[in-house]
Amino acid sequence: MIIEKETADLVLEQAKAAMSALAEMQTALLTAIIKYNQEKQLTLGIGEVSMDKLIRSLDKKTGETLSYCVLEASVFQDLLRTGVLNKSGIRNYTAMASANNSDVMIFYGSRDQIFMDNALHAIDALYGTRTMIDRDSFFMTAEGKDLFVLEGVSAEDAELLDCILRKKDSHLHPFPYSVVEMDGNPCIICLSEDMEKLKEAMKVVAATFESEQGDRVLEDIRIRLAGRQERGIAIKEARREQAIVDVDHPFHKIVVTADDYRYYKHNKEILAVPMSDPSCLDRVYDLIIGMSSPVLTGDCSYEQLPASQQSEYIHKHAIYEFQGESPLEINLAKTAEKMADADALRKYLNKMTGYNVKCEESEPEYVMQEFAKEHKRRKARELERDVR
């Protein structure tokens, strides 16, 4: 049988199309199998449940909703490997691998948002991308490890330490630490393995305060801390039915209820922060920082007004306006000039700790050693008194 060339070409094209379609089907099937195996592998974590069970476990009485975060697969595996996710306090979660990339989506109840935040802070600290973290996240990171506690610090010391470690031109190595209270006094706590990093950082803190910029930096820090305390009081004293609203974007707000602070974005509830949460104020403040022009108001009638009139109405009925923090200006070059001044360091540490250490050596390292010895002697005497 003779087939014309035109007909032959058509048959050939149809055959190619069929083979291509078959290849696509095979590829899709293979992708689905790989994705299924990835999901099975990724869902071996403690607390892992099916999506159906997770949804059923949500607390409907309190209006709990489903929350999620997207992580790289390696980060998720580290959350499992280190046990951070298991220790975080999250009740149930569902992990799903993305079909298009290596990301993993973790779904959980909105009531557990604080625990997920703590877990992510802890893993950030392990990666060295976060320095000062809250107490819960730090102890999650430090479980099973020896700790070092630096006593005799002030709120100003801790604030300057955080600012210096975050500066891009700082030569210091970042490390996880937290500021906690012991016997009513602030202390800096870190891993024992990071003790030398903390000591080196505190020398920079001391040199900064003792440099010619010290008085100005101290005043700026005190203004920052006073403003933060004022904002904390405003958040804490917000009464039921009041709201913290972004004047520039009125559909972003935090509504204060009898039990929690509920964050809405585009008028959709994103999460609820319980007032019983020890880090409640810090979490709410983080949300407020994310707003461009936040105010506290007790009148939400603006929601009934046209969009063009809402901002003016909110401003008029604002009870309190939240002011942001300006960056702390620190000249590390001037700080470096004081780094070799052992006497300046000794005076600062005496003032900070209340000790009266004398050191004839001219090297800062010897000063730090003498203070470490004095601290050890005092702790030993306290222990003897406790035993008696």
Side-chain angles (χ1 to χ4, degrees):
M1 182 173 63
I2 299 175
I3 301 177
E4 295 180 0
K5 182 178 185 304
E6 187 175 328
T7 303
D9 289 344
L10 178 62
V11 171
L12 182 60
E13 288 299 322
Q14 289 175 338
K16 287 182 178 178
M19 292 294 291
S20 177
L22 179 60
E24 288 181 2
M25 289 176 60
Q26 290 175 331
T27 300
L29 179 60
L30 181 61
T31 301
I33 292 172
I34 293 173
K35 180 174 180 292
Y36 174 78
N37 289 336
Q38 285 179 334
E39 289 177 355
K40 294 297 286 184
Q41 181 182 3
L42 287 168
T43 56
L44 295 177
I46 299 172
E48 170 70 15
V49 297
S50 66
M51 179 62 79
D52 182 57
K53 184 174 181 180
L54 176 61
I55 293 174
R56 290 201 309 271
S57 71
L58 299 179
D59 190 349
K60 303 298 190 300
K61 293 181 180 179
T62 61
E64 185 179 19
T65 57
L66 201 63
S67 294
Y68 72 90
C69 65
V70 181
L71 306 172
E72 292 183 8
S74 60
V75 176
F76 176 72
Q77 294 291 2
D78 284 340
L79 282 170
L80 297 181
R81 177 182 56 79
T82 59
V84 166
L85 192 60
N86 181 37
K87 301 169 189 172
S88 67
I90 292 176
R91 294 161 297 166
N92 300 308
Y93 68 88
T94 297
M96 293 185 178
S98 171
N100 303 318
N101 51 46
S102 62
D103 290 343
V104 177
M105 293 185 71
I106 305 179
F107 295 87
Y108 47 90
S110 58
R111 207 175 79 189
D112 290 338
Q113 184 64 52
I114 177 178
F115 302 122
M116 178 56 73
D117 290 344
N118 288 343
L120 295 179
H121 290 169
I123 208 72
D124 281 346
L126 289 174
Y127 288 160
T129 56
R130 194 178 183 92
T131 54
M132 186 168 68
I133 55 180
D134 61 272
R135 176 179 178 144
D136 290 342
S137 298
F138 176 80
F139 282 116
M140 200 184 307
T141 304
E143 186 170 341
K145 299 181 179 180
D146 293 333
L147 304 180
F148 174 74
V149 181
L150 179 62
E151 301 178 65
V153 299
S154 66
E156 291 84 357
D157 299 323
E159 182 69 14
L160 182 56
L161 173 64
D162 184 47
C163 292
I164 288 175
L165 287 174
R166 290 173 184 269
K167 280 182 67 67
K168 293 181 180 179
D169 58 339
S170 172
H171 69 283
L172 298 170
H173 299 288
F175 56 93
Y177 72 92
S178 187
V179 179
V180 300
E181 281 199 2
M182 296 179 66
D183 299 325
N185 300 309
C187 299
I188 296 175
I189 186 168
C190 70
L191 302 178
S192 287
E193 62 195 58
D194 294 327
M195 178 176 62
E196 294 305 321
K197 293 179 183 178
L198 175 58
K199 287 182 176 180
E200 186 65 25
M202 290 309 296
K203 283 195 284 187
V204 178
V205 169
T208 300
F209 277 136
E210 290 297 321
S211 68
E212 62 182 61
Q213 64 187 319
D215 291 341
R216 191 258 310 158
V217 170
L218 180 60
E219 181 63 23
D220 288 348
I221 287 177
R222 286 175 175 168
I223 291 173
R224 285 163 64 99
L225 294 176
R228 199 174 300 165
Q229 184 180 31
E230 183 181 286
R231 289 187 289 272
I233 291 172
I235 296 170
K236 192 173 182 179
E237 292 189 349
R239 299 290 183 259
R240 187 176 180 179
E241 305 305 332
Q242 290 184 344
I244 298 167
V245 183
D246 190 337
V247 176
D248 296 334
H249 308 282
F251 42 83
H252 292 183
K253 60 185 178 181
I254 301 170
V255 177
V256 186
T257 72
D259 302 312
D260 52 30
Y261 295 85
R262 299 186 175 228
Y263 177 56
Y264 292 82
K265 198 169 185 178
H266 298 290
N267 292 323
K268 180 181 179 181
E269 184 180 332
I270 303 300
L271 63 90
V273 182
M275 292 185 178
S276 58
D277 176 1
S279 59
C280 173
L281 295 184
D282 290 336
R283 295 187 63 203
V284 174
Y285 185 52
D286 285 342
L287 294 174
I288 292 173
I289 290 176
M291 298 179 175
S292 60
S293 184
V295 301
L296 176 65
T297 179
D299 187 343
C300 291
S301 302
Y302 71 88
E303 295 176 340
Q304 311 303 322
L305 300 174
S308 60
Q309 301 176 22
Q310 290 184 356
S311 293
E312 183 180 354
Y313 187 90
I314 295 169
H315 259 308
K316 185 177 179 180
H317 294 84
I319 300 171
Y320 179 83
E321 294 188 14
F322 293 89
Q323 302 296 325
E325 291 181 348
S326 57
L328 190 64
E329 293 184 13
I330 309 168
N331 189 328
L332 290 181
K334 292 182 178 179
T335 294
E337 295 173 3
K338 279 286 182 181
M339 285 295 291
D341 190 337
D343 192 52
L345 176 62
R346 182 186 60 79
K347 290 178 181 177
Y348 174 79
L349 291 174
N350 272 328
K351 180 174 65 176
M352 183 176 76
T353 60
Y355 298 170
N356 186 24
V357 173
K358 297 179 181 179
C359 182
E360 302 301 328
E361 299 290 345
S362 59
E363 294 296 326
E365 190 59 36
Y366 289 112
V367 175
M368 295 296 291
Q369 289 176 2
E370 289 302 316
F371 271 88
K373 291 177 184 177
E374 177 63 19
H375 180 68
K376 188 174 181 180
R377 284 194 292 267
R378 294 191 178 216
K379 295 303 291 184
R381 288 199 295 268
E382 288 178 9
L383 183 60
E384 289 178 4
R385 287 197 298 267
D386 291 342
V387 170
R388 293 172 186 171

